[in-house]
Amino acid sequence: MNLRVTIKKIADVAKVSRGTVDKVLNNRPGVSDEVRKRVMEIIDALEYKPNIIGKALANQKKPSLIGMIIPSDANPFFNDIRKGVEAAYQELSDFGVKIDCRVMNSLDVEEQLSIIKYLSDQGISALALTAIDNPAICNAINTLVAQNIPVVTFNSDITGSKRMCFIGQDLVKSGRVAGELLGKILQGKGQIAVITGSHHILAHNQRVDGFKMVINKDFPGIEIVDTIENLDQDALSFELTWALLEKFPNLNGIFIAAGGISGAGKAVKLAGKGNAIKMICTDFIPNTIELVKEGVIDFAIGQDPFTQGYQLVKILYDCLFLGRGPEKEFFYTKIDIRIKENIESNLI
Amino acid sequence: MNLRVTIKKIADVAKVSRGTVDKVLNNRPGVSDEVRKRVMEIIDALEYKPNIIGKALANQKKPSLIGMIIPSDANPFFNDIRKGVEAAYQELSDFGVKIDCRVMNSLDVEEQLSIIKYLSDQGISALALTAIDNPAICNAINTLVAQNIPVVTFNSDITGSKRMCFIGQDLVKSGRVAGELLGKILQGKGQIAVITGSHHILAHNQRVDGFKMVINKDFPGIEIVDTIENLDQDALSFELTWALLEKFPNLNGIFIAAGGISGAGKAVKLAGKGNAIKMICTDFIPNTIELVKEGVIDFAIGQDPFTQGYQLVKILYDCLFLGRGPEKEFFYTKIDIRIKENIESNLI
DNA sequence: CTGAAAGCGCTTACAG
DNA sequence: CTGAAAGCGCTTACAG
């Protein structure tokens, strides 16, 4: 009882060759309207579903290249994204997928543009990038899309482009979660401060906004006394945090929305307030993990970078081989809450 | 520049047929020792790696059946496990994988044994089950393994069997995480109680043990005043919790290690202590989600059931098609901490 | 023991 | 426009 419907079956029923069926299935030219229509009907009637394995085997002759651009700014956590990409690549390499991953040396628009051009010249079939939110980049993306090269953004999105989808964190929500956590462990009372990277970076602002929304709405007994900018730099972060502690001796909570976590942690420890001040931060880099283990940082909120890398490859693969776009525009990865007891889990 | 090493290439170099190479590769009989050795050497020298797609296409003729047994006791959260299985199945169905999933009507050893026998008679190539921890089940598993049918356990493990690996939660650690969370939001002070399902169920005991370890060690200011058994029943859970609240009027924390969460929550609400008592529980079933949204339960700790289902299929597939066992014995899924702000996320 | 051939499902030149 | 054939990499009867 072989109920599988194959191209051969369609061809037999329609009394045409398999090549012709293939043309109809994939909207290739070279079939008369009449035959196309007849074959079409049979395909529908028999509920034909293409077999991926067959497609993939035939595709071995012309492997497809996925281009990828990740920022240099190299939050070490981009390594976890690469691990996810690597895992997906292992699963899919036999399908004839190759990946060319380029790391930026700067955060320059010019550099990103030139990498996009380079990859385009290499003949990529798809592109994944942590986009710089700039009109020129937007144009470059749209040009690729116009050439039928799907583009996805990950980790950081670009507004108004024709990129297919975004894979990353719901930043506002991650800020909200931070707000609720800090509110809870302070039992709704006290003075807190926010440390952000830069007011010019959308991601940072979104986290801070989410955080403030929840504190202001759900924890009226908590006062946000200050919001400082550390430009993601540890040295500056240390200095500013130190000053903050002097200015507000009763401070009992800090939310760090971006980088410079190590610097802030050092200041808090040096002031002997590791226990008195509850701290919440984002992402799991080695310095952060250390501070969580020491008990200086109470909660670290991750964005599941592994899944970001893994899914971007999977989504692009689905698009290239199965010809189907993703079923939604935003793929939000887990808001991954960690504390001392599970900061270092080795999981699947 | 086709640098791919295929069976054809090996055959050409070794001056034998591809069929012979296939026999050598898969340790099939019918090759002289001399030829086998020579071919072997060439395979090694050329670093041949089998192409999954080729294998899979050839395998279409004889699809393999994965048997699966899940408990009836139907924590609704088993639905999420099934969703994971379904997702993996979608990805792999073209590889010729079929899954026969059986749901138990009881927690009887006899029933599980008879289902194992049934599946075995169906000619399954692999088995995944939430095992009852009993010697007869252990024997049945070992019999399958002896027939070269790999077995994995998920969600609940069985001691001493030859099952290949276990996929599920690190229960002790999940209890530890619960302990740290409750300790944190109580700021290390107060009287708390533990509600467990049954002292006879390993999983429950492990969670409770982990929880108590952390409270006793890291939070000396917190006293565990009682540990009660609700047999996973909501009615009983309500009664016992109600009595608990009367007996300990100063109680400010409860950890529920198993089911009966809704009953306990109702008692706490009815006593008007929804805010005064901090509650932590496990797994995300609709009732729990509701209580978290209401603010009665402060933290819910999940075990990523989707991944349990997804990975069990993937691991078995790797084993069947790629002939490679898993690289570790225990696959622990995420300890997924949720609060009001992210209890209902729709993520990947 | 060994090899030649057919087949898994799809795609791609190439003839006609 | 249409079809017959070869090929992607591996496996499986079947002859010899």
Side-chain angles (χ1 to χ4, degrees):
Chain A
M1 46 143 228
N2 182 1
L3 358 93
R4 225 177 334 226
V5 181
T6 67
I7 284 195
K8 182 172 180 322
K9 175 93 168 236
I10 306 274
D12 288 351
V13 174
K15 307 236 187 293
V16 296
S17 76
R18 314 199 240 140
T20 301
V21 176
D22 179 68
K23 284 175 195 156
V24 174
L25 277 171
N26 296 288
N27 287 315
R28 280 186 256 274
V31 186
S32 69
D33 282 355
E34 185 228 316
V35 171
R36 191 179 291 272
K37 182 159 170 294
R38 182 156 52 87
V39 172
M40 224 26 172
E41 279 163 5
I42 295 173
I43 288 169
D44 286 346
L46 268 46
E47 296 185 347
Y48 170 81
K49 300 267 175 287
N51 180 297
I52 307 173
I53 310 294
K55 277 178 117 83
L57 232 214
N59 260 319
Q60 304 268 338
K61 290 176 216 165
K62 38 148 200 173
S64 38
L65 220 206
I66 294 178
M68 206 181 137
I69 307 176
I70 67 180
S72 71
D73 95 350
N75 225 316
F77 104 109
F78 274 97
N79 286 331
D80 290 327
I81 292 188
R82 300 180 83 151
K83 281 184 201 158
V85 169
E86 182 58 28
Y89 174 69
Q90 289 299 337
E91 281 181 30
L92 299 177
S93 60
D94 278 351
F95 284 76
V97 175
K98 298 261 173 279
I99 297 174
D100 187 349
C101 179
R102 300 272 135 191
V103 179
M104 296 185 61
N105 293 313
S106 69
L107 284 175
D108 274 10
V109 170
E110 285 311 319
E111 192 191 358
Q112 187 156 88
L113 282 175
S114 85
I115 297 180
I116 293 175
K117 171 150 187 356
Y118 168 82
L119 289 170
S120 170
D121 291 345
Q122 297 295 303
I124 50 170
S125 311
L127 175 67
L129 77 169
T130 297
I132 298 179
D133 194 0
N134 171 283
I137 302 291
C138 188
N139 278 337
I141 289 176
N142 292 347
T143 304
L144 289 176
V145 173
Q147 294 166 52
N148 244 312
I149 297 175
V151 177
V152 304
T153 53
F154 64 94
N155 196 261
S156 183
D157 202 6
I158 178 166
T159 51
S161 77
K162 297 198 172 110
R163 57 103 183 94
M164 194 167 67
C165 63
F166 167 73
I167 304 149
Q169 194 176 36
D170 181 338
L171 292 149
V172 173
K173 187 169 236 175
S174 122
R176 295 184 63 97
V177 166
E180 187 184 345
L181 287 172
L182 192 53
K184 265 192 201 313
I185 53 173
L186 293 181
Q187 298 188 342
K189 296 185 293 281
Q191 291 190 326
I192 65 176
V194 173
I195 302 179
T196 187
S198 161
H199 290 314
H200 297 294
I201 294 188
L202 184 64
H204 300 176
N205 290 341
Q206 289 178 316
R207 283 208 187 106
V208 172
D209 288 349
F211 179 84
K212 290 185 174 174
M213 267 188 269
V214 168
I215 293 290
N216 291 334
K217 177 161 169 299
D218 294 344
F219 299 98
I222 294 181
E223 184 193 0
I224 302 176
V225 296
D226 209 349
T227 299
I228 62 181
E229 248 180 305
N230 70 9
L231 304 180
D232 280 0
Q233 292 164 16
D234 275 314
L236 186 57
S237 189
F238 174 84
E239 261 181 65
L240 293 174
T241 306
W242 186 259
L244 189 73
L245 300 179
E246 288 193 321
K247 189 163 166 200
F248 302 101
N250 294 322
L251 201 75
N252 62 355
I254 293 178
F255 170 49
I256 309 174
I261 294 165
S262 167
K266 204 188 288 178
V268 170
K269 277 198 290 185
L270 214 68
K273 300 199 167 186
N275 281 322
I277 296 185
K278 304 300 177 193
M279 294 181 80
I280 299 202
C281 69
T282 58
D283 294 333
F284 313 140
I285 62 169
N287 279 333
T288 304
I289 292 174
E290 214 37 61
L291 288 166
V292 171
K293 281 160 70 180
E294 290 175 32
V296 175
I297 289 177
D298 292 86
F299 288 93
I301 300 174
Q303 57 178 298
D304 201 355
F306 182 93
T307 297
Q308 292 182 22
Y310 186 82
Q311 288 296 333
L312 76 86
V313 177
K314 288 281 227 183
I315 289 170
L316 253 15
Y317 155 80
D318 274 7
C319 189
L320 294 177
F321 280 96
L322 282 50
R324 68 170 172 232
E327 74 273 20
K328 52 186 178 182
E329 188 182 350
F330 295 96
F331 288 82
Y332 290 128
T333 49
K334 275 215 174 68
I335 292 176
D336 188 4
I337 304 173
R338 302 287 183 102
I339 58 180
K340 195 196 296 178
E341 286 293 342
N342 70 339
I343 185 74
E344 280 198 314
S345 301
N346 177 21
L347 306 165
I348 47 173
Chain B
M1 44 141 231
N2 182 2
L3 0 92
R4 224 175 338 222
V5 181
T6 67
I7 284 195
K8 181 171 181 320
K9 177 92 167 237
I10 307 274
D12 289 350
V13 174
K15 307 235 188 292
V16 296
S17 76
R18 314 201 240 139
T20 302
V21 176
D22 179 67
K23 285 176 195 156
V24 174
L25 277 170
N26 296 288
N27 287 315
R28 281 186 256 273
V31 187
S32 70
D33 283 355
E34 185 228 315
V35 171
R36 192 179 290 273
K37 181 158 172 294
R38 182 155 53 87
V39 172
M40 226 22 174
E41 277 164 6
I42 294 172
I43 288 170
D44 287 346
L46 267 47
E47 297 185 346
Y48 170 81
K49 300 267 175 289
N51 181 298
I52 306 174
I53 310 295
K55 278 179 118 81
L57 233 213
N59 261 318
Q60 305 267 339
K61 290 174 217 165
K62 38 146 202 174
S64 37
L65 221 208
I66 294 178
M68 208 182 135
I69 306 176
I70 66 180
S72 70
D73 96 349
N75 225 316
F77 104 109
F78 274 98
N79 286 331
D80 290 327
I81 292 188
R82 300 180 82 149
K83 280 184 202 158
V85 170
E86 183 56 29
Y89 174 70
Q90 288 299 338
E91 281 181 29
L92 299 177
S93 60
D94 279 351
F95 284 77
V97 174
K98 299 261 173 276
I99 297 174
D100 187 350
C101 179
R102 300 273 135 191
V103 180
M104 296 183 61
N105 293 313
S106 69
L107 283 176
D108 274 10
V109 170
E110 285 311 318
E111 192 191 357
Q112 187 156 87
L113 281 175
S114 86
I115 297 180
I116 293 176
K117 172 150 186 355
Y118 168 83
L119 290 171
S120 171
D121 290 346
Q122 297 295 303
I124 50 170
S125 312
L127 174 68
L129 79 169
T130 297
I132 298 180
D133 194 359
N134 170 284
I137 302 291
C138 188
N139 277 336
I141 289 176
N142 292 348
T143 303
L144 290 176
V145 173
Q147 296 166 52
N148 243 313
I149 297 176
V151 177
V152 305
T153 53
F154 65 93
N155 197 259
S156 183
D157 203 6
I158 178 166
T159 50
S161 77
K162 296 199 171 112
R163 58 103 184 92
M164 194 166 69
C165 63
F166 166 73
I167 304 149
Q169 195 176 36
D170 181 338
L171 292 150
V172 173
K173 188 169 233 174
S174 122
R176 294 183 64 97
V177 167
E180 187 183 344
L181 288 172
L182 191 52
K184 265 191 200 315
I185 54 174
L186 293 180
Q187 297 188 342
K189 294 185 293 281
Q191 290 190 326
I192 65 176
V194 173
I195 301 179
T196 187
S198 161
H199 290 315
H200 297 294
I201 294 188
L202 184 65
H204 300 176
N205 290 341
Q206 289 178 316
R207 282 207 186 107
V208 172
D209 287 349
F211 179 82
K212 290 185 174 174
M213 267 189 271
V214 168
I215 293 290
N216 291 335
K217 176 161 170 299
D218 294 345
F219 300 97
I222 293 181
E223 184 193 358
I224 302 176
V225 295
D226 210 348
T227 300
I228 62 182
E229 250 181 304
N230 70 8
L231 303 180
D232 278 1
Q233 293 164 15
D234 275 313
L236 185 57
S237 189
F238 174 83
E239 261 183 65
L240 293 174
T241 307
W242 186 260
L244 188 73
L245 299 180
E246 289 193 320
K247 188 163 166 201
F248 301 101
N250 293 323
L251 201 75
N252 63 354
I254 292 177
F255 170 49
I256 309 174
I261 294 165
S262 167
K266 205 188 287 178
V268 170
K269 277 199 289 185
L270 215 67
K273 300 200 165 183
N275 280 321
I277 295 185
K278 304 300 177 193
M279 294 181 80
I280 299 201
C281 69
T282 58
D283 294 332
F284 314 140
I285 63 169
N287 280 332
T288 304
I289 293 173
E290 216 35 64
L291 288 166
V292 170
K293 281 160 71 180
E294 290 174 32
V296 175
I297 289 177
D298 292 86
F299 288 94
I301 301 175
Q303 57 178 299
D304 202 356
F306 182 93
T307 297
Q308 291 182 23
Y310 186 82
Q311 288 296 332
L312 76 86
V313 178
K314 288 281 227 182
I315 288 170
L316 253 15
Y317 155 80
D318 274 7
C319 190
L320 293 177
F321 281 95
L322 283 50
R324 67 169 173 233
E327 74 274 18
K328 52 186 177 180
E329 188 183 350
F330 294 95
F331 289 82
Y332 290 128
T333 49
K334 275 216 174 67
I335 291 176
D336 188 5
I337 302 172
R338 302 287 183 102
I339 59 180
K340 194 197 296 179
E341 286 292 342
N342 70 338
I343 186 73
E344 280 197 314
S345 301
N346 177 21
L347 306 165
I348 48 171

